[in-house]
Amino acid sequence: MTDSLLGLDEPVQPTRGGDAYRVLARKYRPQTFQALIGQEAMVRTLENAIRRDRIAHAFLLTGVRGVGKTSTARLIAKALNCIGPDGNGGPSIDPCGVCEPCRAIAEGRHIDVIEMDAASHTGIDDIREIIEASRYAAVSARYKVYIIDEVHMLSKAAFNGLLKTLEEPPGHVKFLFATTEVNKVPVTVLSRCQRFDLRRIPAERLAAHFAAVCEAEGVTAEPEALALIARAAEGSARDGLSILDQAIAHADLEGGGVKAPAVREMLGLSDRSAVRDLLALLLGGDAPGALAALRRQYDYGVDSQGVLRALLEAVHGVTLVKVGTAEDPAQPAEERDAYREWAEKLSFPLLHRLWQLLLKGHDEVARAALPIETAEMALLRVVHARSLPDPGELARHLSEGRSDQPPVAAAPSEMPSTRAAASAQSALPQAAVPVAPVQPASDPSQEPETFAALVALLENHGQHLLAVRLAHGARVVSYAPPEIVFSGARPIAADTLAETVAALRGITGAVWKLSLLDAPGEPTLKEAADAAAEADRQAVLATPLVEAALAAFPDAELIDWPKKRNNA
């Protein structure tokens, strides 16, 4: 594949004693919109605007570093000022690249295309020069174009001075702003510009682009090496080309090309197979093995925070596979297979808990005075946390009043590993499977015949507080074991109903159904007992002997009397 097919600058190889070497990030800067990878939406908008002659007077290009903001600004300047090979063309989304305006803009020497770095020209005086010069027509181009890079660095006075000219510029002036921090640009400027958010370039697109660059440079490179570089670039073409340049220089001079192990060593990345082995040891509960694996990575020069970050990426990858997202084509096959197998055996609660533990450890290592020791403690916390019961299952046991222990992770099973030696030792726990407790058979003789008997049954089985709450607050509308309807006019707390269901299920073995109904219901057991006691008292006071005693002694009080009823 030639450089012209890539739509990039023609690479000029320096000779000995000739021109200095141009780095790949400069040599392969896009020279056409077709070569601007990953920004199809913006290119389509610009193409339609140019064809319909609806070209805005100001453009704001924002995005992370290295996605093509300045290159896009230059391309727009070329598209607006291109005159075609014959000198009679108009604005075009496909600038010819051979006319004098196109070549002058590409070389940065066009007198009507002015580039300014706002990081070093921040004051009102610099903007005043632009305002004064914008009044004059272009010298040789169709439009006078001002490209201001890192525009967010302008001072408040400079922004204010630019507002009027930016809102109503002369017809021959176009402004192109580029920034990585659009939130620092005043809204008064944003409202006067047509904004384009340049996206991060996907890793697979970057890897394909790097492969084309390597072919043009006559360099062999492994696909895995290019995938590592694409991931390290984090969506930035310039960062990726800089890393690729370094990888080519790092490669073996004997024609070995760019190899994945060399790139991994150059970037200081933890071996991904070693990360998978470490994750398998953690899930298998092998604390000594996990600490030894961490120390090996540390001895190789990988910082402890990087190991935890790699573990977080692995857990995230397994979770994405379990959710069912599309596979990453840049991912190694053995890693894809390992993630798929883990996703089948690990539950979502276990993955989420693992993520939280590793994330906490990562934050602790970031601010720790002893990073490697803190990382070891974080891994030990992960190892020992695997034996704890699932919080959701534990809460379910408590709400149902079950005394059996909630299930924990099952015994580990053999897990995937990329190394034969580690494969025999790597282990993974099976996903925790809730096991329903064995309930005793329902015995009708244990079902109380009355609500009072039910409360007494709870009291006899140690549920004193629950029995008191029911006796003092429950008004029964209907009682037909195992169904009870209580009055909603005096509502019972939901937790009381849930505790009652769980307690009765544990005592009687039956599944009870308690509900509320908007009806008055019977008096509570406490109210009934108080009413019965008062009736007994009035009966005693009405006896002739007590009446005679009270008549003889007017200040006497009835303190106690023989109870005729059992109000228990």
Side-chain angles (χ1 to χ4, degrees):
M1 182 182 295
T2 64
D3 300 323
S4 59
L5 292 178
L6 288 171
L8 308 170
D9 282 350
E10 291 292 335
V12 179
Q13 296 295 340
T15 58
R16 292 185 179 275
D19 297 333
Y21 171 71
R22 281 197 301 166
V23 296
L24 298 181
R26 292 185 58 199
K27 181 188 296 186
Y28 293 97
R29 184 186 293 270
Q31 296 300 310
T32 64
F33 281 105
Q34 287 72 23
L36 191 66
I37 59 176
Q39 313 300 338
E40 288 78 9
M42 180 195 65
V43 173
R44 188 182 309 112
T45 302
L46 291 174
E47 180 180 6
N48 294 338
I50 291 175
R51 288 179 178 175
R52 298 173 184 174
D53 196 21
R54 301 177 63 89
I55 305 172
H57 62 273
F59 297 90
L60 178 67
L61 307 172
T62 180
V64 298
R65 82 277 174 204
V67 293
K69 297 183 297 296
T70 305
S71 297
T72 300
R74 293 175 181 173
L75 290 175
I76 294 175
K78 289 169 63 175
L80 296 179
N81 290 317
C82 179
I83 60 176
D86 57 358
N88 298 320
S92 172
I93 194 64
D94 298 316
C96 64
V98 298
C99 65
E100 177 58 25
C102 286
R103 289 188 288 108
I105 294 172
E107 296 170 5
R109 57 179 175 83
H110 200 292
I111 193 173
D112 291 320
V113 179
I114 301 96
E115 292 193 31
M116 187 186 86
D117 177 21
S120 56
H121 300 80
T122 62
I124 182 63
D125 293 335
D126 301 300
I127 296 301
R128 188 178 291 117
E129 292 181 8
I130 293 178
I131 296 173
E132 294 295 331
S134 65
R135 299 176 182 177
Y136 302 100
V139 176
S140 61
R142 185 178 296 111
Y143 295 102
K144 180 177 285 189
V145 180
Y146 290 96
I147 301 175
I148 303 181
D149 201 6
E150 301 301 335
V151 68
H152 67 274
M153 299 293 289
L154 291 178
S155 64
K156 182 178 180 180
F159 274 125
N160 292 334
L162 186 61
L163 287 180
K164 186 62 178 177
T165 303
L166 185 61
E167 183 174 9
E168 298 178 359
H172 60 274
V173 175
K174 302 292 181 183
F175 289 99
L176 301 175
F177 300 143
T179 178
T180 55
E181 300 183 43
V182 69
N183 58 301
K184 294 184 179 180
V185 179
V187 292
T188 51
V189 174
L190 293 175
S191 64
R192 290 166 167 82
C193 301
Q194 192 171 101
R195 173 175 168 175
F196 291 99
D197 291 85
L198 277 69
R199 302 177 179 178
R200 291 181 184 268
I201 305 173
E204 57 271 16
R205 298 286 300 277
L206 283 177
H209 178 63
F210 298 156
V213 170
C214 288
E215 185 177 349
E217 289 288 311
V219 177
T220 60
E222 294 180 348
E224 185 179 355
L226 297 180
L228 288 173
I229 295 174
R231 286 198 191 96
E234 296 181 347
S236 171
R238 184 176 62 229
D239 287 9
L241 287 173
S242 298
I243 297 173
L244 178 61
D245 219 341
Q246 182 181 357
I248 293 175
H250 185 77
D252 189 359
L253 295 178
E254 301 299 327
V258 179
K259 304 289 187 180
V263 171
R264 191 175 290 112
E265 179 183 359
M266 181 190 72
L267 296 176
L269 296 177
S270 178
D271 189 348
R272 299 188 72 86
S273 61
V275 171
R276 294 195 297 274
D277 292 340
L278 177 57
L279 181 58
L281 292 171
L282 292 174
L283 294 173
D286 187 353
L291 295 183
L294 175 63
R295 281 288 179 175
R296 282 196 299 270
Q297 294 295 303
Y298 183 75
D299 293 340
Y300 290 153
V302 182
D303 66 288
S304 51
Q305 191 175 7
V307 174
L308 290 174
R309 186 185 304 112
L311 289 172
L312 283 168
E313 292 176 354
V315 173
H316 178 255
V318 174
T319 307
L320 291 183
V321 173
K322 190 171 185 65
V323 171
T325 57
E327 294 182 346
D328 183 4
Q331 191 178 34
E334 60 272 12
E335 183 174 290
R336 193 181 303 122
D337 295 339
Y339 285 3
R340 191 182 300 113
E341 185 171 349
W342 276 332
E344 293 176 355
K345 296 183 178 181
L346 294 175
S347 64
F348 278 115
L350 186 59
L351 287 171
H352 295 325
R353 188 175 5 160
L354 185 59
W355 171 267
Q356 292 296 332
L357 290 170
L358 291 174
L359 186 62
K360 179 177 175 60
H362 180 273
D363 294 341
E364 291 175 349
V365 171
R367 58 178 183 271
L370 302 172
I372 182 62
E373 288 80 2
T374 305
E376 290 178 340
M377 296 301 294
L379 295 188
L380 289 176
R381 186 164 59 224
V382 172
V383 170
H384 293 291
R386 64 175 290 277
S387 61
L388 298 177
D390 179 76
E393 187 66 20
L394 181 61
R396 191 177 304 113
H397 273 64
L398 293 176
S399 66
E400 296 176 357
R402 286 146 60 178
S403 60
D404 58 324
Q405 292 185 351
V408 296
S413 61
E414 186 178 355
M415 288 308 302
S417 174
T418 56
R419 300 177 181 179
S423 177
Q425 301 175 355
S426 299
L428 175 75
Q430 299 286 345
V433 179
V435 179
V438 179
Q439 298 288 352
S442 178
D443 185 0
S445 62
Q446 290 189 359
E447 295 180 355
E449 297 181 356
T450 64
F451 182 65
L454 181 143
V455 173
L457 180 65
L458 292 172
E459 178 74 28
N460 294 334
H461 282 79
Q463 300 288 341
H464 174 69
L465 294 179
L466 182 59
V468 171
R469 278 185 283 172
L470 292 176
H472 284 70
R475 296 178 183 269
V476 178
V477 176
S478 68
Y479 182 80
E483 295 186 9
I484 310 175
V485 179
F486 294 105
S487 172
R490 183 175 179 178
I492 306 174
D495 57 347
T496 300
L497 294 179
E499 291 179 22
T500 304
V501 169
L504 290 176
R505 183 177 181 182
I507 296 172
T508 66
V511 179
W512 289 69
K513 180 180 179 182
L514 308 185
S515 59
L516 298 177
L517 181 65
D518 189 12
E522 300 176 357
T524 65
L525 295 180
K526 180 65 168 56
E527 293 171 343
D530 291 344
E534 182 62 22
D536 285 347
R537 180 174 180 276
Q538 294 300 329
V540 172
L541 291 174
T543 59
L545 181 60
V546 174
E547 287 181 347
L550 291 176
F553 303 96
D555 294 333
E557 295 182 2
L558 180 62
I559 298 176
D560 196 8
W561 64 95
K563 305 298 188 297
K564 297 181 179 180
R565 317 179 184 205
N566 184 12
N567 295 323

